[in-house]
Amino acid sequence: MSAQIIDGKEVAKSVRKSIKARIATLKEKGVTPGLATVLIGDDPASQTYVKSKVRMCEKLGLYSEAIGRPADIAQAELDEIVAQLNEAPNIHGILVQSPLPSHLDEPAVVKAIKPEKDVDGFHPYNVGLMLIGEPNVLPCTPHGIMKLLEYYDIDPAGKEAVIVGRSNIVGKPMAAILVQKAKMANATVTIAHSRSANLAEITRRADILVAAVGRPGTIDGSMIKEGAVVIDVGVNRIDDSNDPRGYRLVGDVDFDSCAARASWITPVPGGVGPLTIAMLMFNTVEAAERSISG
Ligand code: NDP
């Protein structure tokens, strides 16, 4: 089998198209959805992510406010920034770019964001709602993966889904969404992680395999079932002197050997990544809609 490509750029475009009319309706009512990004320090990858989020806001006609502070910012100052954004009427979504420098209390910052402005979907209140199947907002990356599955009509119902990685931003919410008793869910879900014994035995059970590890080559063709759907979340920089940047991006999945056995596969770049940003815009628009729905 040679896998068909899941085209994240195409799906992200369709998501953006679907929110354009909603943005126009909000504007007619005098509301421009607003997203605040908070970037602490000068990590190059984080800078790139924040820049693309701001650029996408501009492209869609959303208001964006980019706040940058040096890496040695005090916790109290960051808390004050979040408190002000919580009260700002023109801001509907607040995104504090992760990871924060180690002296800062990241979980406390996540909890300080008002749940209604938590467009990342990381606040414990929103995580709880997601878990009980009454989601308010879904974390952008797993939400984006669901859009990919929907677009290509890949229904997880009754399938074995294996998620490699148990982070709060990808692995755990992905599992929570796929296991729901709901449309486009109802999967039998397994989560694997660095302490899982016999990873290959677990991944070979998967009809749908989601790799969110942060390590190139974690999954190769021998570790997947013939015909599996392979979703590669990983974004890893590896040195490449042929690339003008000096590096190129690869996922967690060995693309060639997996594409030879899978039925569907996401490339890196151009798979999950474009959806993460699109869903951030989607969540910001929904937050703005909720802000006027009373
Ligand atoms: P984390 O580092 O928070 O989590 C990685 C997970 O992988 C952990 O649960 C870890 O296990 C597990 N793991 C590590 N090594 C192994 C191994 N050898 N075998 C099995 N499991 C292992 O990462 P994130 O979830 O934040 O991100 C994962 C990847 O996805 C990264 O490359 C990140 O850049 C990318 N990413 C991409 C996005 C996109 O839009 N495309 C968005 C978000 C992330 P343990 O818990 O035991 O440590």
mmCIF file with all atom_site columns, all heavy atoms in Angstrom, residues 8-9 12 52 62-63 87 93 127 134 162 185 206 249 257 267:
data_model
loop_
_atom_site.group_PDB
_atom_site.id
_atom_site.type_symbol
_atom_site.label_atom_id
_atom_site.label_alt_id
_atom_site.label_comp_id
_atom_site.label_asym_id
_atom_site.label_entity_id
_atom_site.label_seq_id
_atom_site.pdbx_PDB_ins_code
_atom_site.Cartn_x
_atom_site.Cartn_y
_atom_site.Cartn_z
_atom_site.occupancy
_atom_site.B_iso_or_equiv
_atom_site.pdbx_formal_charge
_atom_site.auth_seq_id
_atom_site.auth_comp_id
_atom_site.auth_asym_id
_atom_site.auth_atom_id
_atom_site.pdbx_PDB_model_num
ATOM 1   N N   . GLY A 1 8   ? -2.758  19.125 5.140  1.00 0.00 ? 8   GLY A N   1
ATOM 2   C CA  . GLY A 1 8   ? -3.133  20.067 6.200  1.00 0.00 ? 8   GLY A CA  1
ATOM 3   C C   . GLY A 1 8   ? -3.355  21.478 5.683  1.00 0.00 ? 8   GLY A C   1
ATOM 4   O O   . GLY A 1 8   ? -4.198  22.207 6.216  1.00 0.00 ? 8   GLY A O   1
ATOM 5   N N   . LYS A 1 9   ? -2.639  21.852 4.631  1.00 0.00 ? 9   LYS A N   1
ATOM 6   C CA  . LYS A 1 9   ? -2.810  23.222 4.115  1.00 0.00 ? 9   LYS A CA  1
ATOM 7   C C   . LYS A 1 9   ? -4.204  23.389 3.535  1.00 0.00 ? 9   LYS A C   1
ATOM 8   O O   . LYS A 1 9   ? -4.862  24.407 3.738  1.00 0.00 ? 9   LYS A O   1
ATOM 9   C CB  . LYS A 1 9   ? -1.758  23.511 3.033  1.00 0.00 ? 9   LYS A CB  1
ATOM 10  C CG  . LYS A 1 9   ? -0.373  23.701 3.617  1.00 0.00 ? 9   LYS A CG  1
ATOM 11  C CD  . LYS A 1 9   ? 0.569   24.125 2.514  1.00 0.00 ? 9   LYS A CD  1
ATOM 12  C CE  . LYS A 1 9   ? 2.003   24.044 2.990  1.00 0.00 ? 9   LYS A CE  1
ATOM 13  N NZ  . LYS A 1 9   ? 2.965   23.944 1.912  1.00 0.00 ? 9   LYS A NZ  1
ATOM 14  N N   . ALA A 1 12  ? -6.762  23.409 6.403  1.00 0.00 ? 12  ALA A N   1
ATOM 15  C CA  . ALA A 1 12  ? -6.684  24.683 7.139  1.00 0.00 ? 12  ALA A CA  1
ATOM 16  C C   . ALA A 1 12  ? -7.375  25.790 6.345  1.00 0.00 ? 12  ALA A C   1
ATOM 17  O O   . ALA A 1 12  ? -8.058  26.646 6.908  1.00 0.00 ? 12  ALA A O   1
ATOM 18  C CB  . ALA A 1 12  ? -5.229  25.041 7.417  1.00 0.00 ? 12  ALA A CB  1
ATOM 19  N N   . SER A 1 52  ? 3.677   33.787 13.174 1.00 0.00 ? 52  SER A N   1
ATOM 20  C CA  . SER A 1 52  ? 2.683   33.234 12.237 1.00 0.00 ? 52  SER A CA  1
ATOM 21  C C   . SER A 1 52  ? 1.260   33.399 12.765 1.00 0.00 ? 52  SER A C   1
ATOM 22  O O   . SER A 1 52  ? 0.327   33.563 11.977 1.00 0.00 ? 52  SER A O   1
ATOM 23  C CB  . SER A 1 52  ? 2.959   31.785 11.839 1.00 0.00 ? 52  SER A CB  1
ATOM 24  O OG  . SER A 1 52  ? 3.732   31.138 12.753 1.00 0.00 ? 52  SER A OG  1
ATOM 25  N N   . LEU A 1 62  ? -8.645  39.778 12.028 1.00 0.00 ? 62  LEU A N   1
ATOM 26  C CA  . LEU A 1 62  ? -8.803  39.760 13.481 1.00 0.00 ? 62  LEU A CA  1
ATOM 27  C C   . LEU A 1 62  ? -7.880  40.815 14.083 1.00 0.00 ? 62  LEU A C   1
ATOM 28  O O   . LEU A 1 62  ? -6.818  41.117 13.513 1.00 0.00 ? 62  LEU A O   1
ATOM 29  C CB  . LEU A 1 62  ? -8.409  38.388 14.048 1.00 0.00 ? 62  LEU A CB  1
ATOM 30  C CG  . LEU A 1 62  ? -9.510  37.342 14.208 1.00 0.00 ? 62  LEU A CG  1
ATOM 31  C CD1 . LEU A 1 62  ? -10.194 37.048 12.890 1.00 0.00 ? 62  LEU A CD1 1
ATOM 32  C CD2 . LEU A 1 62  ? -8.946  36.054 14.804 1.00 0.00 ? 62  LEU A CD2 1
ATOM 33  N N   . TYR A 1 63  ? -8.264  41.357 15.238 1.00 0.00 ? 63  TYR A N   1
ATOM 34  C CA  . TYR A 1 63  ? -7.392  42.282 15.947 1.00 0.00 ? 63  TYR A CA  1
ATOM 35  C C   . TYR A 1 63  ? -6.355  41.459 16.709 1.00 0.00 ? 63  TYR A C   1
ATOM 36  O O   . TYR A 1 63  ? -6.687  40.441 17.314 1.00 0.00 ? 63  TYR A O   1
ATOM 37  C CB  . TYR A 1 63  ? -8.221  43.130 16.918 1.00 0.00 ? 63  TYR A CB  1
ATOM 38  C CG  . TYR A 1 63  ? -7.385  43.951 17.850 1.00 0.00 ? 63  TYR A CG  1
ATOM 39  C CD1 . TYR A 1 63  ? -6.653  45.043 17.377 1.00 0.00 ? 63  TYR A CD1 1
ATOM 40  C CD2 . TYR A 1 63  ? -7.288  43.633 19.206 1.00 0.00 ? 63  TYR A CD2 1
ATOM 41  C CE1 . TYR A 1 63  ? -5.857  45.795 18.226 1.00 0.00 ? 63  TYR A CE1 1
ATOM 42  C CE2 . TYR A 1 63  ? -6.501  44.374 20.059 1.00 0.00 ? 63  TYR A CE2 1
ATOM 43  C CZ  . TYR A 1 63  ? -5.793  45.453 19.567 1.00 0.00 ? 63  TYR A CZ  1
ATOM 44  O OH  . TYR A 1 63  ? -4.991  46.180 20.405 1.00 0.00 ? 63  TYR A OH  1
ATOM 45  N N   . GLU A 1 87  ? -9.353  41.646 31.496 1.00 0.00 ? 87  GLU A N   1
ATOM 46  C CA  . GLU A 1 87  ? -10.370 42.703 31.595 1.00 0.00 ? 87  GLU A CA  1
ATOM 47  C C   . GLU A 1 87  ? -10.521 43.500 30.302 1.00 0.00 ? 87  GLU A C   1
ATOM 48  O O   . GLU A 1 87  ? -11.426 44.321 30.186 1.00 0.00 ? 87  GLU A O   1
ATOM 49  C CB  . GLU A 1 87  ? -10.026 43.673 32.751 1.00 0.00 ? 87  GLU A CB  1
ATOM 50  C CG  . GLU A 1 87  ? -10.000 43.025 34.141 1.00 0.00 ? 87  GLU A CG  1
ATOM 51  C CD  . GLU A 1 87  ? -11.217 42.144 34.403 1.00 0.00 ? 87  GLU A CD  1
ATOM 52  O OE1 . GLU A 1 87  ? -12.344 42.525 34.064 1.00 0.00 ? 87  GLU A OE1 1
ATOM 53  O OE2 . GLU A 1 87  ? -11.023 41.022 34.922 1.00 0.00 ? 87  GLU A OE2 1
ATOM 54  N N   . GLY A 1 93  ? -9.321  36.392 23.179 1.00 0.00 ? 93  GLY A N   1
ATOM 55  C CA  . GLY A 1 93  ? -8.480  35.220 23.394 1.00 0.00 ? 93  GLY A CA  1
ATOM 56  C C   . GLY A 1 93  ? -7.098  35.633 23.879 1.00 0.00 ? 93  GLY A C   1
ATOM 57  O O   . GLY A 1 93  ? -6.540  36.618 23.401 1.00 0.00 ? 93  GLY A O   1
ATOM 58  N N   . VAL A 1 127 ? -10.635 21.966 30.435 1.00 0.00 ? 127 VAL A N   1
ATOM 59  C CA  . VAL A 1 127 ? -10.192 20.564 30.311 1.00 0.00 ? 127 VAL A CA  1
ATOM 60  C C   . VAL A 1 127 ? -11.267 19.649 30.901 1.00 0.00 ? 127 VAL A C   1
ATOM 61  O O   . VAL A 1 127 ? -11.616 18.611 30.319 1.00 0.00 ? 127 VAL A O   1
ATOM 62  C CB  . VAL A 1 127 ? -8.833  20.352 31.025 1.00 0.00 ? 127 VAL A CB  1
ATOM 63  C CG1 . VAL A 1 127 ? -8.444  18.876 31.027 1.00 0.00 ? 127 VAL A CG1 1
ATOM 64  C CG2 . VAL A 1 127 ? -7.741  21.184 30.357 1.00 0.00 ? 127 VAL A CG2 1
ATOM 65  N N   . GLU A 1 134 ? -18.715 17.877 27.297 1.00 0.00 ? 134 GLU A N   1
ATOM 66  C CA  . GLU A 1 134 ? -19.481 19.116 27.075 1.00 0.00 ? 134 GLU A CA  1
ATOM 67  C C   . GLU A 1 134 ? -18.512 20.238 26.744 1.00 0.00 ? 134 GLU A C   1
ATOM 68  O O   . GLU A 1 134 ? -18.430 21.225 27.460 1.00 0.00 ? 134 GLU A O   1
ATOM 69  C CB  . GLU A 1 134 ? -20.274 19.476 28.338 1.00 0.00 ? 134 GLU A CB  1
ATOM 70  C CG  . GLU A 1 134 ? -21.336 18.478 28.693 1.00 0.00 ? 134 GLU A CG  1
ATOM 71  C CD  . GLU A 1 134 ? -22.005 18.811 30.027 1.00 0.00 ? 134 GLU A CD  1
ATOM 72  O OE1 . GLU A 1 134 ? -21.866 19.950 30.513 1.00 0.00 ? 134 GLU A OE1 1
ATOM 73  O OE2 . GLU A 1 134 ? -22.646 17.908 30.582 1.00 0.00 ? 134 GLU A OE2 1
ATOM 74  N N   . VAL A 1 162 ? -4.182  4.704  18.820 1.00 0.00 ? 162 VAL A N   1
ATOM 75  C CA  . VAL A 1 162 ? -3.041  4.721  19.742 1.00 0.00 ? 162 VAL A CA  1
ATOM 76  C C   . VAL A 1 162 ? -2.396  6.100  19.647 1.00 0.00 ? 162 VAL A C   1
ATOM 77  O O   . VAL A 1 162 ? -2.089  6.576  18.553 1.00 0.00 ? 162 VAL A O   1
ATOM 78  C CB  . VAL A 1 162 ? -2.012  3.613  19.409 1.00 0.00 ? 162 VAL A CB  1
ATOM 79  C CG1 . VAL A 1 162 ? -0.757  3.766  20.268 1.00 0.00 ? 162 VAL A CG1 1
ATOM 80  C CG2 . VAL A 1 162 ? -2.634  2.235  19.610 1.00 0.00 ? 162 VAL A CG2 1
ATOM 81  N N   . ALA A 1 185 ? -16.041 10.058 17.059 1.00 0.00 ? 185 ALA A N   1
ATOM 82  C CA  . ALA A 1 185 ? -15.223 9.652  18.210 1.00 0.00 ? 185 ALA A CA  1
ATOM 83  C C   . ALA A 1 185 ? -15.450 8.151  18.408 1.00 0.00 ? 185 ALA A C   1
ATOM 84  O O   . ALA A 1 185 ? -15.318 7.413  17.436 1.00 0.00 ? 185 ALA A O   1
ATOM 85  C CB  . ALA A 1 185 ? -15.585 10.476 19.433 1.00 0.00 ? 185 ALA A CB  1
ATOM 86  N N   . ALA A 1 206 ? -2.723  -0.150 16.179 1.00 0.00 ? 206 ALA A N   1
ATOM 87  C CA  . ALA A 1 206 ? -3.472  1.071  15.855 1.00 0.00 ? 206 ALA A CA  1
ATOM 88  C C   . ALA A 1 206 ? -4.060  1.079  14.445 1.00 0.00 ? 206 ALA A C   1
ATOM 89  O O   . ALA A 1 206 ? -3.343  0.846  13.467 1.00 0.00 ? 206 ALA A O   1
ATOM 90  C CB  . ALA A 1 206 ? -2.567  2.289  16.021 1.00 0.00 ? 206 ALA A CB  1
ATOM 91  N N   . LEU A 1 249 ? 12.721  20.734 8.944  1.00 0.00 ? 249 LEU A N   1
ATOM 92  C CA  . LEU A 1 249 ? 11.771  20.219 9.932  1.00 0.00 ? 249 LEU A CA  1
ATOM 93  C C   . LEU A 1 249 ? 11.362  18.800 9.571  1.00 0.00 ? 249 LEU A C   1
ATOM 94  O O   . LEU A 1 249 ? 11.079  18.511 8.400  1.00 0.00 ? 249 LEU A O   1
ATOM 95  C CB  . LEU A 1 249 ? 10.517  21.104 9.980  1.00 0.00 ? 249 LEU A CB  1
ATOM 96  C CG  . LEU A 1 249 ? 10.737  22.545 10.429 1.00 0.00 ? 249 LEU A CG  1
ATOM 97  C CD1 . LEU A 1 249 ? 9.408   23.313 10.403 1.00 0.00 ? 249 LEU A CD1 1
ATOM 98  C CD2 . LEU A 1 249 ? 11.351  22.614 11.831 1.00 0.00 ? 249 LEU A CD2 1
ATOM 99  N N   . SER A 1 257 ? 9.046   4.968  5.190  1.00 0.00 ? 257 SER A N   1
ATOM 100 C CA  . SER A 1 257 ? 8.697   3.583  5.534  1.00 0.00 ? 257 SER A CA  1
ATOM 101 C C   . SER A 1 257 ? 7.249   3.478  6.004  1.00 0.00 ? 257 SER A C   1
ATOM 102 O O   . SER A 1 257 ? 6.577   2.465  5.767  1.00 0.00 ? 257 SER A O   1
ATOM 103 C CB  . SER A 1 257 ? 9.668   3.012  6.576  1.00 0.00 ? 257 SER A CB  1
ATOM 104 O OG  . SER A 1 257 ? 9.612   3.753  7.770  1.00 0.00 ? 257 SER A OG  1
ATOM 105 N N   . PRO A 1 267 ? 2.089   14.734 6.234  1.00 0.00 ? 267 PRO A N   1
ATOM 106 C CA  . PRO A 1 267 ? 3.494   15.104 6.074  1.00 0.00 ? 267 PRO A CA  1
ATOM 107 C C   . PRO A 1 267 ? 3.915   16.114 7.151  1.00 0.00 ? 267 PRO A C   1
ATOM 108 O O   . PRO A 1 267 ? 3.072   16.711 7.804  1.00 0.00 ? 267 PRO A O   1
ATOM 109 C CB  . PRO A 1 267 ? 3.508   15.774 4.695  1.00 0.00 ? 267 PRO A CB  1
ATOM 110 C CG  . PRO A 1 267 ? 2.133   16.350 4.541  1.00 0.00 ? 267 PRO A CG  1
ATOM 111 C CD  . PRO A 1 267 ? 1.192   15.482 5.345  1.00 0.00 ? 267 PRO A CD  1
#
